[in-house]
Amino acid sequence: LTLLGHVDDLHRLGVRGVINLCDEYAGPVQAYAEKGIQQLYLPTVDHNEPTLEDFGKAFQFIKDHTDKGSS
């Protein structure tokens, strides 16, 4: 996926935090790190919803980033 350039595009758009719910793919961790993009990985099996605990983590992650003025 990093070959497609989406990490560069996200960075260029000002994205500094990504929530990944994909159970089977941990994401382009190294590419995110190189661009200063923080990833919250909450692996969730397809056709299942995240746990309430994971929702809480996601909400806090979003709040932390918006409080810093990042997207």
Side-chain angles (χ1 to χ4, degrees):
L1 287 174
T2 57
L3 297 176
L4 299 177
H6 82 281
V7 175
D8 290 335
D9 292 340
L10 291 172
H11 184 264
R12 192 171 25 262
L13 291 169
V15 173
R16 298 299 180 265
V18 173
I19 298 173
N20 178 357
L21 298 174
C22 187
D23 181 59
E24 64 275 4
Y25 179 56
V29 177
Q30 184 62 36
Y32 284 153
E34 289 170 4
K35 293 291 183 178
I37 297 174
Q38 183 181 11
Q39 176 184 239
L40 176 63
Y41 182 46
L42 302 172
T44 305
V45 176
D46 286 347
H47 308 290
N48 289 281
E49 51 282 325
T51 65
L52 288 176
E53 180 182 350
D54 283 350
F55 270 116
K57 290 176 185 177
F59 289 133
Q60 188 62 53
F61 183 84
I62 292 167
K63 183 181 181 323
D64 291 346
H65 278 277
T66 56
D67 286 351
K68 294 187 292 188
S70 66
S71 57

